[in-house]
Amino acid sequence: MDIVLDRKELIKYPFLKESQQLARRHVESLEEFLGSSPGAAALERAKERVVAAVTFKKEFGDEDTRNLKPELEIASYALARMLVSCVGDRSLIDRLARYEAERASFFLAAEEPEIRRFVAKSVGIDTRAVSMPVTRYVELVPHLRDKRWRLVNRDVRQGGVNLEPGEIDELIRERIRAIIADQLPLRVPGGICERLAPVTGEIAALQQQQALEQFGEVREEAFPPCIGALIQAITAGTNLTHMGRFAITAFLHTIGMNVAQIADVFARAPDFDPDMTMYQVEHISGRGGTEYTPPSCATMRTFGLCANRDKDCERVNHPLSYYRLKKNIKKKRS
């Protein structure tokens, strides 16, 4: 396919090799670039991209209203990837990958068929396909949570999975997300991360602020010691056992936290997988039809999860009872 995208088209798809080549031609030294006025403008735009990802902004199409040159707009994509890599939070990386994939999908929806085919082909997908080999399909869909994507729910004939109208667009978006996510985190030199620290600090603060706002009336200070220990273990980078993950998820769901809030609790785990975490949290929270309750104190002891027992633990036989007791005590005191 003999297609050459112009500079204004390339800014829509900064993950393409052609886009990155354009940016590289204008950025010889990253240190010098960051110290220049164009570099400062690109960094500000990069921060906007990450903030949009954190706040789940889905309004695209305003690139043409900026005074930023195409090569700087593309450079901002590269800098956004550096920012999330320096922060080092897997949930932030996942949000940026999803944001960029949705942004590209927005533009592709209005593209000329030739350009749409070119971009799709660049990520390994044929827009004209009405079916896809099973092996390729299975490779593409593991992180798509809708049950309709499961192979058992598909029409499979002669080694191919038939595709419904419109599904190819979703697969292109998912493929772009996967490509971006798989490339992150980048190995950013420590000196560059130090230089970006003022911006990454703002981003980390925004994340924390959002988490505090989302938790609402949930009183973490009333959590039983066992749940507190599990949260501390996640924060410290310790991998939890399956029962540990089940216990904390069921507890947080029961006291009123939603799926996204619970998934964010696991974001600091060293083996954090956003899609797998979301799937597990949704399952335990009842998306599959069965809503699970947290294990009792006896079960927690059996699995070695009873930790830091205090005098109030002697008065209850369930973590939820401890939570209610503590909230009532604090309410009376206030």
Side-chain angles (χ1 to χ4, degrees):
M1 184 182 301
D2 190 17
I3 293 285
V4 178
L5 302 185
D6 65 32
R7 289 149 56 95
K8 286 193 174 183
E9 289 170 332
L10 287 175
I11 67 174
K12 304 173 188 176
Y13 315 108
F15 50 86
L16 294 178
K17 65 178 182 179
E18 292 84 358
S19 301
Q20 295 174 33
Q21 287 168 355
L22 173 64
R24 287 195 195 101
R25 288 198 295 270
H26 293 81
V27 181
E28 295 182 3
S29 166
L30 183 57
E31 285 278 2
E32 292 180 7
F33 180 67
L34 288 173
S36 67
S37 294
L43 180 58
E44 181 63 26
R45 172 65 179 131
K47 184 177 77 170
E48 290 178 7
R49 297 179 96 110
V50 179
V51 168
V54 171
T55 56
F56 302 101
K57 177 186 173 184
K58 295 185 178 181
E59 298 173 4
F60 312 108
D62 57 353
E63 280 79 359
D64 290 336
T65 67
R66 301 177 183 277
N67 295 321
L68 218 56
K69 294 181 179 179
E71 57 268 21
L72 297 182
E73 176 70 24
I74 295 168
S76 77
Y77 165 78
L79 289 174
R81 299 200 305 158
M82 291 183 189
L83 289 174
V84 299
S85 297
C86 288
V87 174
D89 189 320
R90 286 299 316 182
S91 67
L92 181 60
I93 288 172
D94 179 65
R95 289 184 183 185
L96 180 65
R98 290 186 183 280
Y99 168 80
E100 294 292 347
E102 289 178 3
R103 176 181 176 276
S105 182
F106 169 85
F107 290 119
L108 280 174
E111 283 289 12
E112 295 292 332
E114 294 78 9
I115 295 178
R116 184 168 168 271
R117 281 198 296 271
F118 174 81
V119 175
K121 185 179 179 181
S122 298
V123 298
I125 295 181
D126 181 1
T127 59
R128 293 169 292 190
V130 294
S131 68
M132 184 175 290
V134 171
T135 52
R136 178 63 173 152
Y137 177 86
V138 170
E139 180 184 292
L140 276 173
V141 303
H143 297 295
L144 294 175
R145 292 187 289 273
D146 195 307
K147 290 182 179 180
R148 66 187 169 91
W149 294 108
R150 296 180 185 176
L151 193 59
V152 294
N153 297 327
R154 307 299 304 192
D155 179 17
V156 181
R157 299 182 184 181
Q158 297 180 336
V161 180
N162 290 334
L163 301 175
E164 298 294 330
E167 288 187 333
I168 200 72
D169 296 325
E170 295 180 68
L171 292 176
I172 294 171
R173 181 174 65 243
E174 171 57 17
R175 178 58 181 157
I176 294 171
R177 183 207 65 79
I179 288 174
I180 295 172
D182 289 347
Q183 293 172 346
L184 297 173
L186 303 173
R187 293 183 178 179
V188 184
I192 297 297
C193 283
E194 288 180 13
R195 187 155 191 165
L196 298 175
V199 180
T200 55
E202 289 182 45
I203 292 168
L206 176 61
Q207 275 191 295
Q208 185 177 25
Q209 177 187 345
Q210 280 212 316
L212 290 173
E213 291 175 353
Q214 289 174 348
F215 275 77
E217 294 300 317
V218 173
R219 302 290 294 273
E220 188 169 350
E221 65 271 21
F223 285 3
C226 55
I227 298 299
L230 289 172
I231 293 177
Q232 288 177 0
I234 294 172
T235 304
T238 303
N239 286 321
L240 299 185
T241 63
H242 174 73
M243 178 52 75
R245 290 172 178 268
F246 172 83
I248 192 171
T249 300
F251 175 84
L252 296 177
H253 168 67
T254 303
I255 66 172
M257 289 176 63
N258 63 38
V259 169
Q261 292 168 343
I262 298 171
D264 280 344
V265 172
F266 289 97
R268 294 288 180 179
D271 61 344
F272 178 64
D273 181 321
D275 295 291
M276 181 57 68
T277 297
M278 189 66 76
Y279 171 77
Q280 292 174 341
V281 170
E282 288 179 340
H283 176 70
I284 295 171
S285 300
R287 185 65 62 87
T290 302
E291 189 170 354
Y292 296 90
T293 56
S296 65
C297 292
T299 303
M300 295 289 278
R301 286 193 293 271
T302 299
F303 284 88
L305 299 175
C306 180
N308 305 328
R309 284 174 62 87
D310 61 22
K311 61 180 182 179
D312 290 319
C313 290
E314 305 297 330
R315 304 168 59 183
V316 300
N317 59 10
H318 201 285
L320 288 175
S321 300
Y322 183 103
Y323 182 68
R324 282 192 291 266
L325 174 65
K326 278 290 191 180
K327 284 194 75 174
N328 288 335
I329 291 175
K330 291 181 181 297
K331 184 177 181 179
K332 290 178 181 178
R333 287 177 180 174
S334 63

